[in-house]
């Protein structure tokens, strides 16, 4: 590993100006750095073309993780070329492998850079809307620099239209910023769970630093210093940074508001606060000692509290290190090494571009439909907000059967429009066409704070049970655009409240009012 790269003063001054420039432009654009509230697009996750400086929009417009709008249309993939790690987190156990589980660090096969490149070309040819390649483990991209950068080099040469990303805990980051820039990696994710080493000592038992293991508060002090320095260095070069933070109730949940401020001031573009996943069978320290993850409501309250400070990502699916497909779907099983080696891969840039042009048309149609519907809400003034759950297979449409949904996307509706606020993963309710009581209960629990659930189709029995649970099952918008339909539903809802036909119920905004993190 190379030592720290000291920059000449003149270069530092120039780079600092570049970061200031970007932050200034972001602030000048409408919707940026404001409350990020409700339906108005704010930068980052909910941002649209008119909300961002053109050079930033160019970087995020078809990146499914950096643009909430894009995630309905574009796919990503991870290649598992980075097995080693240079730190230990109490929530991570990379030895655990389960093909049926989708969560970070889980992977079925580890790849060489050559295998990874063949896989990327195979996926890019089969899924032309795949625009982004990320290296996110199963260990740390920068604890395996040779494999990581070799993979990027090969992809840059063979598939130059694919955007490159990496995820790191940040310990080695300052040493590799130049190399990251050299391979045109213009999106980097750093996991920052604390800026206070005392908090860090409860999350990180050790780091491997300068050829030895460092433990306790000192380990977290070094880690935090390196993370923040790396973030600043990337921001100075205009490389977009997303910060991941794992929300661990009782350990760093309240502290993450401070982390949010610290990363915003150092130029982070997007903050992704993700829930801790911990189950005893995963064999992690937290899983084994009973540390719980946050509820969906707790997570949303913290994200809401931080949104005034900066752009929050709310559509992260906490993907496997070998995930393939749209966020929320996992097609990795179609691209095992065995299958890929048998594939005759023809990487055809022009047919990819032609397909993506069609995707772009569909996306523009979605945006226009939403805008039109939103205009019809102009002049309505009320504080009423409701949540609705949506079953979708992608494309920004309501196109999934209630019984087939593995997750529901949740939108918050207000007079400002429809805002994506998260997703709820559920067990498959319908197995082979038959509903199962327990599974339906699970679905109802997962979306119990929603006023309605939008589906393309639903059977009579679950419909009745949803109604009994106070959730309106809506299939009248089958195959329509999500946001347009949601706004239309909200308009009807308000009209019914006004006329006295229905009463705005407590459930509708229970989530929104809950939480210890609501900003003063
Ligand atoms: C598997 S890591 C790989 C990249 C890198 N090593 C890192 O930690 O940033 C990808 C992301 O998953 C998160 N992660 C890992 N295990 C998790 C868990 N049990 N619950 C929630 N997030 C987790 C990490 O914090 C990180 O943000
Ligand atoms: S840094 Fe990433 S890979 Fe390493 S232990 Fe933590 S979560 Fe796992
Ligand atoms: S883990 Fe989150 S940020 Fe990473 S690819 Fe999946 S959705 Fe995107």
């Amino acid at each position: 590993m190379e030592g720290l790269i000291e920059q000449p003063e003149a270069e530092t001054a120039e780079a600092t100006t570049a970061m200031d420039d970007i932050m200034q432009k972001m602030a000048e654009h409408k919707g940026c750095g404001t409350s990020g509230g409700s339906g108005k697009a704010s930068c980052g996750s909910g941002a649209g073309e008119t909300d961002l400086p053109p050079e930033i929009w160019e970087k995020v417009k078809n990146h499914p993780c950096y643009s909430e709008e894009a995630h309905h249309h574009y796919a990503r993939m991870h290649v598992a070329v980075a097995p080693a790690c240079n730190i230990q987190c109490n929530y991570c156990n990379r030895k655990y492998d389960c093909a049926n589980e989708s969560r970070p660090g889980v992977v079925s096969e580890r790849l060489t850079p050559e295998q990874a490149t063949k896989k990327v070309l195979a996926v890019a040819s089969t899924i032309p809307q795949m625009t982004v390649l990320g290296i996110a483990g199963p260990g740390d991209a920068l604890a395996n620099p040779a494999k990581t950068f070799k993979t990027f080099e090969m992809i840059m040469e063979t598939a130059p239209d694919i955007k490159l990303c990496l995820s790191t805990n940040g310990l080695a980051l300052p040493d590799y910023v130049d190399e990251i820039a050299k391979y045109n990696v213009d999106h980097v994710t750093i996991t920052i769970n604390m800026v206070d080493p005392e908090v860090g000592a409860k999350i990180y038992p050790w780091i491997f630093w300068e050829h030895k293991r460092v433990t306790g508060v000192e380990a977290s002090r070094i880690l935090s210093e390196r993370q923040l320095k790396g973030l600043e260095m990337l921001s100075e070069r205009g490389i977009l940074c997303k910060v991941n933070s794992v929300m661990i109730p009782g350990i760093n949940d309240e502290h993450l508001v401070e982390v949010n401020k610290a990363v915003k001031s150092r130029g982070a573009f997007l903050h992704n606060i993700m829930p801790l996943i911990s189950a005893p069978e995963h064999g992690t320290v937290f899983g084994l000692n009973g540390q719980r993850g946050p509820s969906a409501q707790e997570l949303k309250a913290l994200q809401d509290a931080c949104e005034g400070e900066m752009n929050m990502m709310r559509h992260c699916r906490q993907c496997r290190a070998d995930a393939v497909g749209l966020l929320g779907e996992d097609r990795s099983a179609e691209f095992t090494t065995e299958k890929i080696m048998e594939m005759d891969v023809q990487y055809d840039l022009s047919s990819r571009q032609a397909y993506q042009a069609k995707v772009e048309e569909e996306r523009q149609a979605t945006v226009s439909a939403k805008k039109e519907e939103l205009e019809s809400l102009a002049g309505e003034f009320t504080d009423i907000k409701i949540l609705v759950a949506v079953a979708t297979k992608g494309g920004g449409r309501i196109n999934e059967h209630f019984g087939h949904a593995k997750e529901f996307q949740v939108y918050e509706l207000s007079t400002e429009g429809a805002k994506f606020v998260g997703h709820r993963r559920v067990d498959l309710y319908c197995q082979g066409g038959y509903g199962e009581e327990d599974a339906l209960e699970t679905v109802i629990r997962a979306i119990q704070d929603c006023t309605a659930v939008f589906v393309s189709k639903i059977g009579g029995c679950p419909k009745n049970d949803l109604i009994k649970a106070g959730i309106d099952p809506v299939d009248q918008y089958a195959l329509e655009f999500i946001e347009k339909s949601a706004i239309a539903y909200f308009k009807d809802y308000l009209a019914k409240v006004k006329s006295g036909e229905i009463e705005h119920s407590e459930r509708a905004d229970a989530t929104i009012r809950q939480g210890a993190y609501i900003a003063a």
Side-chain angles (χ1 to χ4, degrees):
M1 192 187 291
E2 286 171 21
L4 257 172
I5 299 162
E6 288 295 331
Q7 291 189 59
E9 271 184 15
E11 204 178 307
T12 311
E14 203 176 299
T16 308
T17 312
M19 172 164 81
D20 290 347
D21 253 21
I22 289 176
M23 291 184 78
Q24 178 64 25
K25 278 187 195 161
M26 297 269 294
E28 279 165 8
H29 262 76
K30 72 174 172 193
C32 300
T34 64
S35 73
S38 313
K40 272 183 206 140
S42 58
C43 296
S45 65
E49 187 166 4
T50 53
D51 307 306
L52 295 173
E55 65 276 22
I56 297 188
W57 174 243
E58 215 27 63
K59 285 187 182 177
V60 304
K61 71 175 184 190
N62 59 3
H63 194 308
C65 307
Y66 280 67
S67 159
E68 189 277 314
E69 197 187 292
H71 102 275
H72 298 283
H73 306 280
Y74 292 98
R76 54 73 184 103
M77 71 180 290
H78 288 161
V79 285
V81 295
C85 194
N86 47 4
I87 71 171
Q88 182 60 56
C89 305
N90 279 334
Y91 50 71
C92 180
N93 173 12
R94 297 184 316 282
K95 287 187 196 123
Y96 183 92
D97 170 23
C98 172
N100 298 319
E101 266 209 75
S102 187
R103 65 183 170 82
V106 171
V107 60
S108 293
E109 291 178 310
R110 287 159 190 196
L111 304 178
T112 63
E114 290 72 19
Q115 288 169 327
T117 304
K118 175 118 199 238
K119 181 170 179 175
V120 173
L121 298 179
V123 172
S125 310
T126 317
I127 308 177
Q129 69 274 40
M130 191 281 284
T131 49
V132 172
L133 164 71
I135 297 183
D140 195 86
L142 298 180
N144 305 261
K147 290 179 189 146
T148 294
F149 291 114
K150 181 70 191 163
T151 305
F152 285 152
E153 185 185 6
M154 291 168 75
I155 301 298
M156 207 169 84
E157 279 165 13
T158 47
D161 63 315
I162 291 179
K163 285 190 194 319
L164 304 176
C165 293
L166 68 82
S167 263
T168 177
N169 58 49
L171 181 64
L173 180 57
D175 301 339
Y176 291 107
V177 168
D178 287 341
E179 207 153 354
I180 286 170
K182 181 173 136 193
Y183 291 106
N184 291 336
V185 177
D186 55 9
H187 300 77
V188 172
T189 298
I190 315 169
T191 303
I192 303 183
N193 295 319
M194 52 85 204
V195 287
D196 174 353
E198 298 284 344
V199 174
K202 297 178 193 157
I203 304 171
Y204 305 105
W206 56 260
I207 66 168
F208 197 74
W209 176 244
E210 293 180 337
H211 312 292
K212 57 181 189 295
R213 209 175 255 227
V214 182
T215 58
V217 175
E218 176 62 2
S220 289
R221 191 194 59 72
I222 297 168
L223 179 62
S224 177
E225 198 181 290
R226 299 282 291 171
Q227 290 173 331
L228 298 178
K229 182 179 171 74
L231 171 59
E232 280 175 0
M233 291 171 76
L234 290 170
S235 302
E236 283 162 6
R237 282 166 174 73
I239 295 171
L240 286 190
C241 293
K242 170 164 73 64
V243 168
N244 278 359
S245 300
V246 181
M247 179 180 180
I248 312 163
I251 291 190
N252 72 346
D253 44 356
E254 293 179 29
H255 178 61
L256 286 181
V257 177
E258 205 181 312
V259 170
N260 178 267
K261 290 186 176 131
V263 301
K264 183 194 176 193
S265 69
R266 288 167 176 83
F269 175 75
L270 196 57
H271 194 185
N272 176 21
I273 299 183
M274 319 183 292
L276 170 73
I277 300 170
S278 64
E281 61 271 27
H282 298 160
T284 63
V285 171
F286 284 155
L288 293 171
N289 73 14
Q291 171 64 51
R292 73 170 180 95
S295 68
Q297 286 77 13
E298 288 171 325
L299 178 68
K300 181 178 182 298
L302 176 56
Q303 290 169 333
D304 287 351
C306 291
E307 194 165 50
E309 296 297 321
M310 74 177 294
N311 319 300
M312 302 302 294
M313 177 180 190
R314 299 179 190 246
H315 60 285
C316 179
R317 299 304 199 278
Q318 298 180 279
C319 309
R320 295 166 57 98
D322 57 5
V324 174
L326 289 174
L327 305 191
E329 77 174 0
D330 185 10
R331 296 180 59 178
S332 55
E334 291 171 43
F335 300 97
T336 59
T337 308
E338 201 185 335
K339 288 179 185 164
I340 287 162
M341 290 309 156
E342 283 168 11
M343 281 180 168
D344 176 25
V345 176
Q346 305 289 338
Y347 188 78
D348 181 352
L349 181 59
S350 58
S351 67
R352 274 175 57 77
Q353 285 170 336
Y355 189 92
Q356 286 179 21
K358 286 210 181 95
V359 171
E360 213 39 49
E361 269 174 34
E362 174 78 354
R363 176 203 189 138
Q364 287 313 322
T366 318
V367 173
S368 308
K370 175 176 77 173
K371 275 193 188 142
E372 221 170 88
E373 198 64 51
L374 193 55
E375 277 163 20
S376 67
L377 261 181
E380 289 279 1
F381 298 105
T382 166
D383 289 340
I384 291 179
K385 288 180 178 177
I386 60 172
L387 298 180
V388 296
V390 180
T392 175
K393 285 196 264 216
R397 291 182 185 265
I398 303 159
N399 52 10
E400 183 65 291
H401 191 296
F402 177 77
H404 298 163
K406 290 184 187 155
E407 67 163 44
F408 290 91
Q409 299 193 353
V410 177
Y411 285 77
E412 184 178 89
L413 310 182
S414 71
T415 49
E416 296 203 10
K419 172 180 158 189
F420 184 100
V421 291
H423 66 282
R424 309 276 165 83
R425 270 166 79 168
V426 292
D427 296 330
L428 270 185
Y429 164 58
C430 182
Q431 308 277 358
Y434 298 96
E436 292 178 8
E437 274 317 307
D438 290 352
L440 180 56
E441 270 173 37
T442 311
V443 176
I444 289 176
R445 258 204 315 276
I447 60 170
Q448 65 189 357
D449 51 354
C450 297
T451 299
V453 57
F454 292 9
V455 296
S456 64
K457 230 173 176 194
I458 183 167
C461 289
K463 209 173 197 171
N464 288 338
D465 285 347
L466 282 164
I467 292 168
K468 270 191 229 152
I471 301 168
D472 185 12
V474 180
D475 54 7
Q476 79 187 75
Y477 303 115
L479 305 182
E480 301 271 355
F481 292 128
I482 297 171
E483 286 164 298
K484 173 188 162 39
S485 307
I487 297 168
Y489 178 87
F490 186 63
K491 240 176 16 188
D492 275 3
Y493 182 89
L494 288 185
K496 286 180 186 162
V497 171
K498 260 193 208 160
S499 70
E501 190 185 327
I502 58 169
E503 217 176 293
H504 174 53
S505 82
E506 275 304 305
R507 125 196 327 277
D509 58 4
T511 302
I512 298 155
R513 283 199 270 104
Q514 173 181 335
Y517 306 103
I518 299 293

